[in-house]
Amino acid sequence: VQTCALPIFVVVVFVAIAAPWLSPNDPDRRYPDLLYAPPTSLHFGGDTPGLHIHPWRLVSRLERTFEQDRARPTPLRWFSDGRLVTTEDSAPLLLLGADAYGRDIFARMLHGTRLTVGLAVIATLLAMLIGAVVGGVAGFAGGWLDEMLSRSSDFVLVLPVTYAVLALRAVMPLVLPASTVFVLLAAIFGLVGWPAIARPIRGILASEREREYAMAARALGASPLRVFGRHLLPSAYSHLFTQGTLLLPGFILAEATLSYVGLKFPDAVPTWGTMLHDASNGALIAEAPWMLAPAAAIFVVVLAVNLLVQGSGRAPVQLER
């Protein structure tokens, strides 16, 4: 199973890059007669050559029931209009059905990969940068500076982050631009995640600074900055990147959590978190389980990260939170 982890990451990166080409419809395109429409089934053979679909026809808007229009087979169009596959505008291909606004869930999930995974990657890099600097300086310097930075790390770890974010959201405008939300979430995740990296790095450097190679570098006249950056910090690189891979899925889950409690991207901007927020009505999930497709994507990515870390020979470290 572990051998599947790396290919999953390759697929996720490819989807994020090629989302406009892979999605059969625009993510914000609405089909008023297809609210909560089920996934479109593919057919092969019959009077229509090649793969084709029978588009959905609305039977009852109140009961949200549909039936296939078998008298109207619609062939798939490959490599058309800058997309891998598409159909007629009046008969959309809905591989994962439609949401409450009649939008293609599959197309929105593909485009949401860009924001969700991109946000998690940037937040992880920010947390790694802050954690490496703070933890490295604390472990290298020792003394009162080590004590002060360690207590700062403890303070961040005990913060009730969800409640703090809710209070922060309450004083903000009701509608925020997508760029503002992206910067806010990246900053929040980075500032919350750095202690998980700083504390182990501090321990590594506090131990390594007394090793023979570090003492020899100081004896040869190397400056403290050179000893820190050239000799000591590289000894923590493997742990740094291992912790970073563990923070990445945590930030993906955090985006979904904060979207659920209110700090989310505008509804027109697809992310996995906003899609799950739209699917939060439990009564509708029983009728339209395909709206939980982003949850499946999150599960696959988180599982792949843990398998990749285990396959590298390092057990996942439990994040203190």
Side-chain angles (χ1 to χ4, degrees):
V1 178
Q2 292 177 351
T3 57
C4 299
L6 187 58
I8 289 175
F9 278 109
V10 174
V11 170
V12 170
V13 172
F14 174 72
V15 167
I17 295 173
W21 180 69
L22 292 173
S23 58
N25 305 292
D26 292 329
D28 55 351
R29 173 75 181 274
R30 298 188 179 188
Y31 300 94
D33 292 333
L34 295 176
L35 277 59
Y36 297 109
T40 306
S41 57
L42 300 175
H43 302 272
F44 185 82
D47 296 334
T48 303
L51 279 174
H52 59 278
I53 65 171
H54 297 298
W56 290 114
R57 181 171 58 198
L58 180 63
V59 176
S60 171
R61 188 179 300 274
L62 181 61
E63 298 178 356
R64 292 186 291 272
T65 55
F66 302 85
E67 67 178 9
Q68 294 184 4
D69 189 355
R70 297 190 174 276
R72 188 187 164 197
T74 304
L76 302 184
R77 297 185 299 184
W78 297 91
F79 305 104
S80 175
D81 300 327
R83 303 181 188 276
L84 173 63
V85 60
T86 186
T87 55
E88 300 176 5
D89 289 341
S90 59
L93 174 63
L94 305 173
L95 294 175
L96 291 177
D99 63 8
Y101 299 96
R103 299 173 300 195
D104 183 358
I105 293 177
F106 180 72
R108 291 180 64 79
M109 193 171 70
L110 292 181
H111 283 79
T113 305
R114 286 184 160 187
L115 270 180
T116 298
V117 177
L119 172 64
V121 168
I122 291 177
T124 299
L125 293 176
L126 178 61
M128 290 172 63
L129 176 62
I130 298 175
V133 172
V134 174
V137 170
F140 179 71
W144 66 268
L145 185 58
D146 179 17
E147 184 70 17
M148 183 185 68
L149 294 176
S150 297
R151 297 294 76 78
S152 300
S153 172
D154 293 339
F155 174 76
V156 175
L157 284 172
V158 300
L159 272 178
V161 178
T162 302
Y163 294 106
V165 170
L166 287 175
L168 178 66
R169 182 68 182 94
V171 300
M172 294 180 182
L174 185 61
V175 179
L176 295 173
S179 58
T180 302
V181 176
F182 188 95
V183 172
L184 276 174
L185 290 180
I188 291 171
F189 295 164
L191 293 175
V192 168
W194 69 264
I197 291 178
R199 297 184 72 181
I201 293 227
R202 177 257 172 203
I204 292 174
L205 263 70
S207 173
E208 292 292 320
R209 70 183 180 185
E210 303 299 333
R211 299 287 295 272
E212 291 81 0
Y213 70 90
M215 297 175 64
R218 286 193 291 265
L220 290 173
S223 65
L225 185 60
R226 179 175 177 82
V227 174
F228 172 75
R230 175 69 176 173
H231 299 283
L232 295 182
L233 194 58
S235 64
Y237 281 172
S238 62
H239 187 86
L240 175 66
F241 289 109
T242 299
Q243 286 294 98
T245 57
L246 292 172
L247 282 178
L248 180 66
F251 290 153
I252 292 176
L253 292 171
E255 188 269 325
T257 302
L258 293 186
S259 293
Y260 188 82
V261 300
L263 185 56
K264 64 185 183 71
F265 289 88
D267 291 334
V269 179
T271 70
W272 293 350
T274 56
M275 293 178 68
L276 288 177
H277 180 269
D278 294 339
S280 59
N281 189 330
L284 293 176
I285 293 302
E287 301 178 16
W290 48 85
M291 294 185 65
L292 292 177
I298 293 175
F299 171 79
V300 169
V301 173
V302 172
L303 178 63
V305 169
N306 282 277
L307 291 177
L308 188 64
V309 174
Q310 289 178 359
S312 66
R314 294 178 177 267
V317 179
Q318 295 296 325
L319 301 184
E320 300 182 47
R321 192 76 199 113

